[in-house]
Amino acid sequence: MQLAHRMSLLGTESAFVVLARAEALKRQGKDIISLGIGQPDFPTPPHIVEAAAKALRDGHHGYTPANGILPLREAVAADIEKRRSVAVHPDRIVVVPGGKVTMFFAIVMFGEPGAEIMYPDPGFPIYESVIRFTGATPVAMPLYEKNDFSFSADEVLAKVTSRTRLIIVNSPANPTGGAVPKAELDQLVAGLERHPHVAIMSDEIYDRIVYDGRGHASLLAYESIRDRLIVLNGWSKTYAMTGWRLGYGVWPQGLVEHATRLAVNDHSCVNAATQWAGKAALEGPQDAVDRMVAAFDERRRVIHQELNALPGVGCVKPAGAFYAFANVAKTGQSARALETKFLEDGGVATVAGTSFGTHGEGFIRFSYANSVENIREAMHRIRRVLGN
Ligand code: PLP
């Protein structure tokens, strides 16, 4: 067998590797606290589950249009209008199996040898992985702890060349929990007006998980880039639906056909019952989302305080998502070595910052999608490991 060369370029998401290792240790009888994987520890709200069951009972068993059922795309458009005061035609929405798929489509649409694609570092590892897979050159946009993990718009704009095809922005962010301030987005967009050849993909999957009343600054608000902006969003995080596999992209009119064709080639459509569940999620009561975000907020305060009390550890207060990205450089140990020690010696699953790019060295990502009690116990164990 001879595999295509590009297969050797594809990376992975280390959180899944840590998850597998943690599960293996659990099977050996070890008590493991998971602060590794990024998924809400809440069940999907019952009315959403019921909507899927009803769809199955009602006979929604067949293929749907590749871009998603119209009632769901209309519900997405109405939700965007309500939250962002931006009118988006339902035909610009392409429903896909999970947030990741919009990312993959956008990157393969623009990536090829000779092209450059900019991505946040530290950032969601699949960006760099898929950029490399296409043969394009990944260009890191460093995120700085001193800026609460925002990029510097000036620095990003200085890296734009005639070969830049796509810039990926993610706010609120994985793995840092940072949110890019609106002023920085304003500056980025103003600069990009001088580079009309550059498309932008804004990964806004954590848009509903923000704290301290700050709200979410969406790139959808900027008229001047709307014809080259792809917005990635989905149900996984907001509605605790990671296993359902449901997401959407808002595509510029000129790219909808390409995204839909990729969908036809890749998966035909998202399973029908899940799409009806997604509609119920958007149109039904939102109190479960509010409760979940309030619970994350409490945990955020606890983990932020506890991490800063650990020897050699410091942590910026996360602005969104459910991750704390702690600086562990003063422990004198590498992020990977600490990740292994925390898991093997402390029974706490975390993810080394280097899993998210070279700028993640000296950091550990803690997902606080776990109970306050477990977070406190995890911090207690980590203190013990650091003491040894
Ligand atoms: N984008 C970011 C920044 C994420 O952190 C994740 C999941 O962790 C995704 C996209 C993918 O979401 P989904 O599980 O819906 O594919």
Side-chain angles (χ1 to χ4, degrees):
M1 284 200 303
Q2 187 174 353
L3 286 183
H5 166 66
R6 62 177 170 273
M7 290 310 296
S8 66
L9 304 175
L10 203 54
T12 189
E13 197 182 335
S14 301
F16 282 94
V17 178
V18 173
L19 179 69
R21 180 85 194 105
E23 291 301 319
L25 288 170
K26 274 188 200 165
R27 280 196 298 279
Q28 290 166 22
K30 296 238 167 73
D31 172 27
I32 306 292
I33 299 175
S34 177
L35 303 182
I37 195 85
Q39 69 176 336
D41 55 325
F42 296 92
T44 305
H47 70 278
I48 301 175
V49 177
E50 177 48 34
K54 180 172 181 314
L56 288 173
R57 282 196 302 272
D58 289 351
H60 293 287
H61 300 168
Y63 293 123
T64 78
N67 57 343
I69 55 173
L70 181 59
L72 178 57
R73 289 184 288 110
E74 284 173 343
V76 170
D79 188 64
I80 293 171
E81 171 109 48
K82 185 169 88 192
R83 287 181 201 293
R84 311 269 163 254
S85 304
V86 176
V88 171
H89 196 282
D91 286 353
R92 285 180 48 209
I93 289 150
V94 179
V95 176
V96 281
K100 260 182 187 165
V101 180
T102 298
M103 183 184 304
F104 192 84
F105 285 6
I107 297 170
V108 296
M109 225 178 260
F110 289 99
E112 63 182 336
E116 292 174 2
I117 298 183
M118 298 176 68
Y119 68 101
D121 181 353
F124 191 53
I126 301 305
Y127 305 141
E128 185 184 349
S129 164
V130 181
I131 296 168
R132 288 193 188 281
F133 181 69
T134 66
T137 305
V139 178
M141 291 157 51
L143 307 184
Y144 297 105
E145 185 186 30
K146 64 177 181 357
N147 296 350
D148 292 341
F149 294 112
S150 174
F151 54 74
S152 141
D154 281 341
E155 189 182 1
V156 172
L157 291 164
K159 289 189 178 188
V160 172
T161 72
S162 59
R163 291 178 302 279
T164 308
R165 298 263 182 97
L166 179 69
I167 291 185
I168 299 172
V169 175
N170 172 219
S171 177
N174 179 7
T176 64
V180 181
K182 185 171 172 306
E184 210 67 44
L185 288 179
D186 289 348
Q187 208 179 326
L188 179 71
V189 171
L192 287 176
E193 285 168 11
R194 294 194 306 273
H195 301 290
H197 64 291
V198 179
I200 304 110
M201 188 193 79
S202 182
D203 181 343
E204 304 189 5
I205 198 133
Y206 296 103
D207 68 341
R208 298 279 298 278
I209 309 176
V210 287
Y211 309 110
D212 301 329
R214 74 171 51 232
H216 166 68
S218 172
L219 279 181
L220 273 172
Y222 298 86
E223 183 84 50
S224 67
I225 53 166
R226 217 164 273 169
D227 59 347
R228 51 192 165 114
L229 171 70
I230 302 153
V231 175
L232 178 162
N233 211 327
W235 286 255
S236 296
K237 317 287 176 176
T238 307
Y239 297 101
M241 291 178 72
T242 50
W244 293 70
R245 309 313 300 139
L246 187 62
Y248 68 84
V250 181
W251 293 84
Q253 195 56 54
L255 296 183
V256 170
E257 187 195 334
H258 297 287
T260 307
R261 196 172 301 172
L262 279 166
V264 172
N265 276 270
D266 180 62
H267 55 265
S268 298
C269 63
V270 174
N271 93 63
T274 292
Q275 294 191 52
W276 287 99
K279 175 173 158 23
L282 294 176
E283 292 177 345
Q286 303 293 305
D287 51 318
V289 180
D290 297 339
R291 278 199 303 277
M292 190 175 73
V293 175
F296 284 146
D297 191 10
E298 187 196 353
R299 297 158 180 195
R300 173 182 75 122
R301 290 165 199 276
V302 170
I303 200 163
H304 175 247
Q305 194 179 28
E306 297 259 345
L307 282 168
N308 281 306
L310 291 173
V313 180
C315 186
V316 164
K317 196 169 202 181
F322 35 70
Y323 308 108
F325 205 55
N327 188 327
V328 292
K330 290 206 180 111
T331 63
Q333 303 184 60
S334 75
R336 189 67 67 200
L338 281 179
E339 173 197 272
T340 304
K341 277 192 187 168
F342 290 163
L343 182 61
E344 310 273 334
D345 304 345
V348 180
T350 61
V351 184
T354 40
S355 296
F356 305 97
T358 49
H359 290 88
E361 183 53 279
F363 293 89
I364 296 275
R365 187 191 80 172
F366 295 85
S367 163
Y368 49 88
N370 208 324
S371 67
V372 166
E373 190 191 355
N374 281 345
I375 290 169
R376 288 199 195 280
E377 171 61 20
M379 294 299 120
H380 177 70
R381 293 182 187 185
I382 283 175
R383 176 179 289 278
R384 223 175 35 222
V385 172
L386 289 174
N388 289 336

PDB file of all heavy atoms in Angstrom, residues 42-59:
ATOM      1  N   PHE A  42     -22.826  18.366  31.202  1.00  0.00           N
ATOM      2  CA  PHE A  42     -24.271  18.390  31.431  1.00  0.00           C
ATOM      3  C   PHE A  42     -24.949  17.537  30.364  1.00  0.00           C
ATOM      4  O   PHE A  42     -24.413  17.391  29.264  1.00  0.00           O
ATOM      5  CB  PHE A  42     -24.805  19.831  31.322  1.00  0.00           C
ATOM      6  CG  PHE A  42     -24.249  20.736  32.382  1.00  0.00           C
ATOM      7  CD1 PHE A  42     -23.107  21.487  32.150  1.00  0.00           C
ATOM      8  CD2 PHE A  42     -24.857  20.817  33.629  1.00  0.00           C
ATOM      9  CE1 PHE A  42     -22.579  22.308  33.130  1.00  0.00           C
ATOM     10  CE2 PHE A  42     -24.335  21.633  34.615  1.00  0.00           C
ATOM     11  CZ  PHE A  42     -23.198  22.379  34.373  1.00  0.00           C
ATOM     12  N   PRO A  43     -26.144  17.008  30.670  1.00  0.00           N
ATOM     13  CA  PRO A  43     -26.866  16.299  29.611  1.00  0.00           C
ATOM     14  C   PRO A  43     -27.509  17.313  28.660  1.00  0.00           C
ATOM     15  O   PRO A  43     -27.747  18.456  29.044  1.00  0.00           O
ATOM     16  CB  PRO A  43     -27.942  15.524  30.387  1.00  0.00           C
ATOM     17  CG  PRO A  43     -28.178  16.326  31.629  1.00  0.00           C
ATOM     18  CD  PRO A  43     -26.871  17.023  31.957  1.00  0.00           C
ATOM     19  N   THR A  44     -27.801  16.884  27.449  1.00  0.00           N
ATOM     20  CA  THR A  44     -28.573  17.722  26.534  1.00  0.00           C
ATOM     21  C   THR A  44     -29.952  17.957  27.161  1.00  0.00           C
ATOM     22  O   THR A  44     -30.563  17.011  27.669  1.00  0.00           O
ATOM     23  CB  THR A  44     -28.739  16.986  25.181  1.00  0.00           C
ATOM     24  OG1 THR A  44     -27.454  16.630  24.694  1.00  0.00           O
ATOM     25  CG2 THR A  44     -29.454  17.857  24.166  1.00  0.00           C
ATOM     26  N   PRO A  45     -30.445  19.205  27.157  1.00  0.00           N
ATOM     27  CA  PRO A  45     -31.769  19.465  27.762  1.00  0.00           C
ATOM     28  C   PRO A  45     -32.843  18.528  27.197  1.00  0.00           C
ATOM     29  O   PRO A  45     -32.864  18.260  25.986  1.00  0.00           O
ATOM     30  CB  PRO A  45     -32.034  20.929  27.405  1.00  0.00           C
ATOM     31  CG  PRO A  45     -30.664  21.524  27.261  1.00  0.00           C
ATOM     32  CD  PRO A  45     -29.802  20.437  26.678  1.00  0.00           C
ATOM     33  N   PRO A  46     -33.748  18.028  28.062  1.00  0.00           N
ATOM     34  CA  PRO A  46     -34.713  16.994  27.653  1.00  0.00           C
ATOM     35  C   PRO A  46     -35.607  17.382  26.474  1.00  0.00           C
ATOM     36  O   PRO A  46     -35.931  16.525  25.654  1.00  0.00           O
ATOM     37  CB  PRO A  46     -35.566  16.764  28.907  1.00  0.00           C
ATOM     38  CG  PRO A  46     -34.854  17.432  30.019  1.00  0.00           C
ATOM     39  CD  PRO A  46     -33.832  18.354  29.474  1.00  0.00           C
ATOM     40  N   HIS A  47     -35.994  18.680  26.364  1.00  0.00           N
ATOM     41  CA  HIS A  47     -36.889  19.014  25.244  1.00  0.00           C
ATOM     42  C   HIS A  47     -36.188  18.861  23.894  1.00  0.00           C
ATOM     43  O   HIS A  47     -36.836  18.639  22.876  1.00  0.00           O
ATOM     44  CB  HIS A  47     -37.471  20.431  25.419  1.00  0.00           C
ATOM     45  CG  HIS A  47     -36.471  21.532  25.236  1.00  0.00           C
ATOM     46  ND1 HIS A  47     -35.600  21.942  26.223  1.00  0.00           N
ATOM     47  CD2 HIS A  47     -36.186  22.306  24.152  1.00  0.00           C
ATOM     48  CE1 HIS A  47     -34.839  22.923  25.767  1.00  0.00           C
ATOM     49  NE2 HIS A  47     -35.176  23.161  24.519  1.00  0.00           N
ATOM     50  N   ILE A  48     -34.859  18.941  23.907  1.00  0.00           N
ATOM     51  CA  ILE A  48     -34.104  18.760  22.659  1.00  0.00           C
ATOM     52  C   ILE A  48     -34.048  17.269  22.303  1.00  0.00           C
ATOM     53  O   ILE A  48     -34.260  16.869  21.147  1.00  0.00           O
ATOM     54  CB  ILE A  48     -32.673  19.357  22.796  1.00  0.00           C
ATOM     55  CG1 ILE A  48     -32.756  20.855  23.131  1.00  0.00           C
ATOM     56  CG2 ILE A  48     -31.863  19.107  21.541  1.00  0.00           C
ATOM     57  CD1 ILE A  48     -31.416  21.523  23.403  1.00  0.00           C
ATOM     58  N   VAL A  49     -33.820  16.457  23.318  1.00  0.00           N
ATOM     59  CA  VAL A  49     -33.803  15.000  23.113  1.00  0.00           C
ATOM     60  C   VAL A  49     -35.176  14.552  22.589  1.00  0.00           C
ATOM     61  O   VAL A  49     -35.273  13.763  21.641  1.00  0.00           O
ATOM     62  CB  VAL A  49     -33.458  14.270  24.437  1.00  0.00           C
ATOM     63  CG1 VAL A  49     -33.520  12.750  24.257  1.00  0.00           C
ATOM     64  CG2 VAL A  49     -32.080  14.697  24.948  1.00  0.00           C
ATOM     65  N   GLU A  50     -36.221  15.105  23.202  1.00  0.00           N
ATOM     66  CA  GLU A  50     -37.578  14.724  22.806  1.00  0.00           C
ATOM     67  C   GLU A  50     -37.864  15.130  21.348  1.00  0.00           C
ATOM     68  O   GLU A  50     -38.519  14.385  20.602  1.00  0.00           O
ATOM     69  CB  GLU A  50     -38.598  15.373  23.770  1.00  0.00           C
ATOM     70  CG  GLU A  50     -40.058  15.121  23.455  1.00  0.00           C
ATOM     71  CD  GLU A  50     -40.412  13.655  23.179  1.00  0.00           C
ATOM     72  OE1 GLU A  50     -39.794  12.758  23.801  1.00  0.00           O
ATOM     73  OE2 GLU A  50     -41.302  13.411  22.330  1.00  0.00           O
ATOM     74  N   ALA A  51     -37.339  16.269  20.938  1.00  0.00           N
ATOM     75  CA  ALA A  51     -37.566  16.702  19.550  1.00  0.00           C
ATOM     76  C   ALA A  51     -36.948  15.713  18.562  1.00  0.00           C
ATOM     77  O   ALA A  51     -37.522  15.443  17.497  1.00  0.00           O
ATOM     78  CB  ALA A  51     -36.985  18.103  19.338  1.00  0.00           C
ATOM     79  N   ALA A  52     -35.794  15.164  18.918  1.00  0.00           N
ATOM     80  CA  ALA A  52     -35.161  14.166  18.032  1.00  0.00           C
ATOM     81  C   ALA A  52     -35.988  12.885  18.016  1.00  0.00           C
ATOM     82  O   ALA A  52     -36.222  12.292  16.951  1.00  0.00           O
ATOM     83  CB  ALA A  52     -33.742  13.875  18.507  1.00  0.00           C
ATOM     84  N   ALA A  53     -36.461  12.465  19.201  1.00  0.00           N
ATOM     85  CA  ALA A  53     -37.259  11.237  19.275  1.00  0.00           C
ATOM     86  C   ALA A  53     -38.545  11.414  18.467  1.00  0.00           C
ATOM     87  O   ALA A  53     -38.963  10.516  17.722  1.00  0.00           O
ATOM     88  CB  ALA A  53     -37.568  10.907  20.745  1.00  0.00           C
ATOM     89  N   LYS A  54     -39.155  12.590  18.598  1.00  0.00           N
ATOM     90  CA  LYS A  54     -40.391  12.860  17.857  1.00  0.00           C
ATOM     91  C   LYS A  54     -40.123  12.830  16.340  1.00  0.00           C
ATOM     92  O   LYS A  54     -40.913  12.282  15.570  1.00  0.00           O
ATOM     93  CB  LYS A  54     -40.959  14.225  18.282  1.00  0.00           C
ATOM     94  CG  LYS A  54     -42.239  14.602  17.561  1.00  0.00           C
ATOM     95  CD  LYS A  54     -42.857  15.857  18.137  1.00  0.00           C
ATOM     96  CE  LYS A  54     -44.163  16.260  17.471  1.00  0.00           C
ATOM     97  NZ  LYS A  54     -44.189  16.237  16.030  1.00  0.00           N
ATOM     98  N   ALA A  55     -38.998  13.416  15.939  1.00  0.00           N
ATOM     99  CA  ALA A  55     -38.673  13.431  14.506  1.00  0.00           C
ATOM    100  C   ALA A  55     -38.572  11.998  13.980  1.00  0.00           C
ATOM    101  O   ALA A  55     -39.069  11.690  12.882  1.00  0.00           O
ATOM    102  CB  ALA A  55     -37.363  14.185  14.275  1.00  0.00           C
ATOM    103  N   LEU A  56     -37.987  11.132  14.777  1.00  0.00           N
ATOM    104  CA  LEU A  56     -37.882   9.730  14.347  1.00  0.00           C
ATOM    105  C   LEU A  56     -39.268   9.086  14.285  1.00  0.00           C
ATOM    106  O   LEU A  56     -39.601   8.382  13.325  1.00  0.00           O
ATOM    107  CB  LEU A  56     -36.960   8.951  15.296  1.00  0.00           C
ATOM    108  CG  LEU A  56     -35.474   9.288  15.170  1.00  0.00           C
ATOM    109  CD1 LEU A  56     -34.661   8.606  16.269  1.00  0.00           C
ATOM    110  CD2 LEU A  56     -34.931   8.865  13.803  1.00  0.00           C
ATOM    111  N   ARG A  57     -40.079   9.365  15.323  1.00  0.00           N
ATOM    112  CA  ARG A  57     -41.445   8.800  15.335  1.00  0.00           C
ATOM    113  C   ARG A  57     -42.261   9.333  14.163  1.00  0.00           C
ATOM    114  O   ARG A  57     -43.081   8.633  13.592  1.00  0.00           O
ATOM    115  CB  ARG A  57     -42.159   9.150  16.646  1.00  0.00           C
ATOM    116  CG  ARG A  57     -41.740   8.279  17.833  1.00  0.00           C
ATOM    117  CD  ARG A  57     -42.747   8.395  18.979  1.00  0.00           C
ATOM    118  NE  ARG A  57     -42.914   9.768  19.438  1.00  0.00           N
ATOM    119  CZ  ARG A  57     -42.167  10.361  20.382  1.00  0.00           C
ATOM    120  NH1 ARG A  57     -41.211   9.683  20.986  1.00  0.00           N
ATOM    121  NH2 ARG A  57     -42.389  11.601  20.735  1.00  0.00           N
ATOM    122  N   ASP A  58     -42.008  10.609  13.807  1.00  0.00           N
ATOM    123  CA  ASP A  58     -42.767  11.234  12.718  1.00  0.00           C
ATOM    124  C   ASP A  58     -42.276  10.807  11.333  1.00  0.00           C
ATOM    125  O   ASP A  58     -42.766  11.312  10.315  1.00  0.00           O
ATOM    126  CB  ASP A  58     -42.694  12.770  12.819  1.00  0.00           C
ATOM    127  CG  ASP A  58     -43.506  13.308  14.002  1.00  0.00           C
ATOM    128  OD1 ASP A  58     -44.247  12.516  14.622  1.00  0.00           O
ATOM    129  OD2 ASP A  58     -43.373  14.517  14.309  1.00  0.00           O
ATOM    130  N   GLY A  59     -41.270   9.967  11.310  1.00  0.00           N
ATOM    131  CA  GLY A  59     -40.839   9.419  10.017  1.00  0.00           C
ATOM    132  C   GLY A  59     -39.752  10.201   9.300  1.00  0.00           C
ATOM    133  O   GLY A  59     -39.567  10.041   8.096  1.00  0.00           O
TER     134      GLY A  59
END
